[in-house]
Structures are given as C-alpha cells and as structure tokens.
Amino acid sequence: MPPAADFRQMLRDVSLRVTAPRLAVLSAVHQHPHTDTDSIIGLVRDELGTVSHQAVYDVLRALTTAGLLRRIEPPGSVARYEARVGDNHHHVVCRSCGTIADVDCAVGYAPCLTASEAHGFVIDEAEVVYRGLCPDCSVRS
Ligand SMILES: [Zn+2]
Ligand SMILES: [Zn+2]
C-alpha cells in the first residue's frame, strides 16, 4: 500500500482537496480491495471516530468520479470499491461465500470479448464476471 503522503498526492493530482475522510477512505480501499460500503464506513470510523454514512458515500462518489476508485457491482452483490483502476481486469466471485478476486483481462485490453453482433455500436467494454467456488468453499463441499 502506498504511504499516506502518496494518498495526499493522489488527491492533489485529481484536484481534490485533501481531507481526513478522503484519506481514510482511500487507505481503507487500498488495504481491503473489493470492500462494500458498510465495511468501508466501519474502517473509516475505526480510524477517525464519528463519520456520517452520508460523508462516506459522498467521498466514495467523489473518488470514483475522479478515477481514484472503481465501483464494481457483481450481479447479486452490493456495490464494492477497489483501488485498482485504469486496467480492464475482471473478477471471479465465489458462488458460496461471495469472496471476490481479481482476474487479469483475458486479452489485455477492453472490451476483452468481441461481440458476435455489434448492432452498429462502437463497443468499448464487456463486463465479465467469472463464478465458481473459492478454495475454502470447494474443499468444504
Ligand atoms: Zn467461497
Ligand atoms: Zn478488482
């Protein structure tokens, strides 16, 4: 994880003011990739004490809009956030416990899958979610 100074620089690079909640959210998501909003609120409160839900929602929205975080929403899961942005990686989701891991883009660039019929669209993204059982769940079943 980048040192705290780098989180400040990241905020400055996208012209966001450096605030304690923004630093805490950035650091929480770097340490816990694919975390949902409630867990992020918990992590931020551990660090800063009282912070309202709304404040954390606002920070998540600002950081996502600025491109510092990516919001993912696998089917059947709540929204989650990660700090790995700027590449076209996919996710593998455990069908049993919901654990999520990163999977590099199969071809290395978006949209990864060529649509069999583009209907005249200029397609720049394919949302790929792999599903199965994680190592823990597959030994238990
Ligand atoms: Zn699992
Ligand atoms: Zn990811």
Side-chain angles (χ1 to χ4, degrees), residues 1-2 7 10 21-44 47 56-57 59-61 63-64 67-72 79-85 89 91 102:
M1 178 180 93
F7 292 133
M10 279 178 205
R22 284 174 180 167
L23 290 173
V25 169
L26 262 185
S27 137
V29 178
H30 272 85
Q31 288 176 74
H32 305 271
H34 313 128
T35 310
D36 63 44
T37 309
D38 284 347
S39 310
I40 293 169
I41 291 170
L43 291 162
V44 169
E47 202 181 318
V56 175
Y57 287 129
V59 168
L60 284 169
R61 192 174 322 112
L63 296 181
T64 303
L68 293 180
L69 298 183
R70 176 179 170 200
R71 184 183 197 271
I72 57 167
R80 290 161 183 275
Y81 293 86
E82 67 182 345
R84 181 175 167 183
V85 294
H89 78 272
H91 295 103
D102 286 338

Side-chain angles (χ1 to χ4, degrees), residues 99-110:
T99 287
I100 299 179
D102 286 338
V103 179
D104 287 346
C105 180
V107 284
Y109 49 85

Side-chain angles (χ1 to χ4, degrees), residues 119-132:
H119 298 282
F121 284 52
V122 178
I123 294 173
D124 59 20
E125 186 186 21
E127 216 169 282
V128 180
V129 177
Y130 299 95
R131 281 181 189 284

